[in-house]
Amino acid sequence: MSKKKLGLNTICAHVGEIKDEQFKGAVSPIYLSSSYEFIDVDVKRYPRYFNTPNQEYLAKKIAALERKETAMIFGSGMAAISHMFLAFLKSGDHIVVQNTLYGGTSNFIREEFPKLKIEFTFTDGYSVADFKAAIQPNTKLIHIETPSNPLLTITDIKAIADLANEKAIVTSIDNTFASPINQNPADFGIDLIMHSATKYFGGHSDICAGAVAGSKEHMDRIWNVSKNLGGSLSDFTVWMLERSMKTMGLRVKKQTKNAGKIAKWLEKNKTIKKVNYPGLKSHPEHKLAKSQMHGYGAMLSFELANGIDSEKFQKALKLIKASMSLAGIESTVLSPAKTSHSLLSQEDRDKIGISDGLIRFSVGIESIKDLKEDIQQALNKQ
Ligand SMILES: *Cc1c(COP(=O)(O)O)cnc(C)c1O
């Protein structure tokens, strides 16, 4: 069976299964050995070498979903990002990073790169011209995030890949928000595709993990650094992640459908000032999103009308939880200014448009009518 011909849900359900030869069980066994034979073996296996059976096989599913040769699984999304960056950047190198970006990635760059003398430029905006203007002679990596957290801006993936290619710069994308179900950046020429697997891969708010997919050559570079940094994931959790990923296609498609409906409904609501969702015609990059995404994703954000206190609103929700993180099957909301982007200065937040009243909404699989009712009753109380 060629992987290319398999449908999305078949990849989710089956690629990278470990056959239980001994007992013929239906699911992959867990291999918890941290010690493997080293004489007369093809692979010297060790958990921190990212090559225990469960790690190696689940990586095949991730690579197939992202249409890349190979992949690695990490202990968190930030482990994936930091190991990836450190594999392609050394002292004196420069990275161009999109300004609208996951807060943790931004913190990692601002706090750690000066110590390592790695230079960085955050773009002014997210247009191709903004990226072009930020490139330096020593630029080795361009990192983008689309749709971005929490404003759901859309970056032109192909244009950035082409720009970088021209100058032999490696490209990476944080594909967490879209998930491989809604977006495959490999089709547009992006080199490295990373995920916080804590989000849609896990999907049940009970796993912390990360992943990177790329060519064998690029992933070898990452492996060479990662084996020293040691950010691998426990095989228990790798196994949990495999189980979760079997339903990723189903979950994300339902969540995406719900998000589209909620976004349209919120946009009509007079107590909502603005809705950010790439699937809306009012979204400035709606057409671009349409051209590079299979679905518009299940994340959106919105601003309440002046005078409504966002914390009071979130407290009034009964079904939808005000909680950190995202992408679980349950709907959650949060205030980026108070959580993911709290370490940025007020000035930096204002610059990228993260207001105190902005609410990020991770849409779950619940019945749409119940979600709408919950939001409406919370708005009615304001
Ligand atoms: C959560 C998240 C991360 C970081 O992942 P962790 O698993 O929390 O380390 C990176 N990028 C995006 C877009 C995220 O949402």
Side-chain angles (χ1 to χ4, degrees):
M1 258 195 306
S2 136
K3 272 180 206 163
K4 279 213 178 76
K5 293 205 182 96
L6 294 179
L8 207 60
N9 286 316
T10 313
I11 297 176
C12 284
H14 292 298
V15 172
E17 280 176 317
I18 302 176
K19 258 201 180 148
D20 178 2
E21 301 283 5
Q22 200 171 359
F23 300 107
K24 316 287 180 199
V27 303
S28 303
I30 312 183
Y31 290 87
L32 290 175
S33 268
S34 59
S35 176
Y36 288 85
E37 193 164 311
F38 67 94
I39 299 170
D40 294 337
V41 293
D42 299 335
V43 190
K44 290 193 179 64
R45 296 186 195 276
Y46 185 61
R48 185 172 39 80
Y49 292 169
F50 298 81
N51 62 6
T52 54
N54 291 93
Q55 292 184 77
E56 185 186 315
Y57 275 71
L58 182 58
K60 292 179 203 284
K61 193 194 295 293
I62 295 169
L65 283 167
E66 281 300 9
R67 305 172 185 185
K68 286 286 186 186
E69 257 180 301
T70 176
M72 280 169 70
I73 300 154
F74 295 86
S76 68
M78 281 315 300
I81 290 182
S82 56
H83 291 37
M84 175 176 83
F85 282 176
L86 294 174
F88 288 88
L89 299 165
K90 60 180 185 324
S91 146
D93 288 344
H94 176 258
I95 178 174
V96 173
V97 216
Q98 185 172 319
N99 66 343
T100 44
L101 193 69
Y102 176 70
T105 310
S106 163
N107 296 342
F108 171 62
I109 292 169
R110 289 176 209 269
E111 291 173 18
E112 304 304 327
F113 281 12
K115 298 179 203 165
L116 302 167
K117 300 203 161 41
I118 296 169
E119 296 166 20
F120 56 89
T121 305
F122 283 87
T123 57
D124 279 336
Y126 46 92
S127 74
V128 190
D130 290 316
F131 281 88
K132 201 168 184 177
I135 292 175
Q136 312 267 328
N138 56 342
T139 303
K140 294 285 156 45
L141 191 61
I142 297 179
H143 180 73
I144 64 173
E145 188 176 312
T146 180
S148 73
N149 178 19
L151 294 168
L152 289 304
T153 61
I154 303 293
T155 309
D156 188 333
I157 303 175
K158 185 173 184 305
I160 302 297
D162 289 349
L163 170 72
N165 249 338
E166 246 172 58
K167 300 181 191 283
I169 299 169
V170 177
T171 46
S172 60
I173 186 169
D174 188 331
N175 205 29
T176 300
F177 264 38
S179 90
I181 309 305
N182 282 322
Q183 181 167 276
N184 294 118
D187 295 351
F188 305 102
I190 293 287
D191 296 314
L192 297 159
I193 301 158
M194 69 75 39
H195 285 274
S196 167
T198 312
K199 314 298 163 55
Y200 290 107
F201 284 27
H204 295 73
S205 307
D206 55 10
I207 285 176
C208 182
V212 182
S215 68
K216 172 114 185 32
E217 188 193 338
H218 282 144
M219 294 310 295
D220 278 350
R221 263 181 87 165
I222 296 180
W223 185 81
N224 277 318
V225 169
S226 300
K227 71 178 197 306
N228 296 332
L229 293 174
S232 56
L233 186 65
S234 106
D235 283 298
F236 266 122
T237 318
V238 172
W239 186 87
M240 287 283 288
L241 191 56
E242 183 195 352
R243 189 178 74 166
S244 296
M245 287 185 71
K246 290 178 187 181
T247 57
M248 181 163 67
L250 297 178
R251 284 186 276 111
V252 173
K253 284 213 166 128
K254 167 72 178 169
Q255 288 173 272
T256 299
K257 203 170 157 194
N258 272 356
K261 287 184 184 166
I262 289 276
K264 278 192 194 132
W265 178 76
L266 284 173
E267 202 172 38
K268 282 192 222 128
N269 200 312
K270 285 192 186 68
T271 43
I272 309 291
K273 201 155 64 176
K274 187 167 184 243
V275 182
N276 304 308
Y277 184 67
L280 290 175
K281 291 209 174 73
S282 59
H283 188 286
E285 294 98 35
H286 172 65
K287 281 207 178 108
L288 177 58
K290 193 171 185 175
S291 73
Q292 65 187 26
M293 300 181 81
H294 313 304
Y296 300 106
M299 296 299 303
L300 57 94
S301 58
F302 59 91
E303 277 179 54
L304 295 164
N306 291 340
I308 302 184
D309 181 77
S310 78
E311 199 166 306
K312 258 180 74 188
F313 165 74
Q314 290 177 77
K315 275 189 181 158
L317 292 167
K318 289 178 178 158
L319 178 69
I320 302 166
K321 293 189 182 86
S323 88
M324 298 264 283
S325 203
L326 60 107
I329 53 98
E330 63 281 299
S331 291
T332 58
V333 287
L334 65 67
S335 303
K338 294 209 175 78
T339 56
S340 57
H341 292 69
S342 62
L343 293 180
L344 293 186
S345 65
Q346 181 78 45
E347 192 191 345
D348 281 341
R349 278 200 297 272
D350 289 346
K351 210 166 107 187
I352 51 183
I354 299 174
S355 71
D356 288 346
L358 184 74
I359 292 176
R360 192 187 74 186
F361 189 177
S362 169
V363 183
I365 62 167
E366 299 92 339
S367 303
I368 194 81
K369 138 183 160 304
D370 297 327
L371 292 176
K372 286 181 185 170
E373 264 174 36
D374 194 30
I375 296 169
Q376 195 57 61
Q377 67 79 25
L379 286 172
N380 291 348
K381 283 189 189 141
Q382 307 306 311

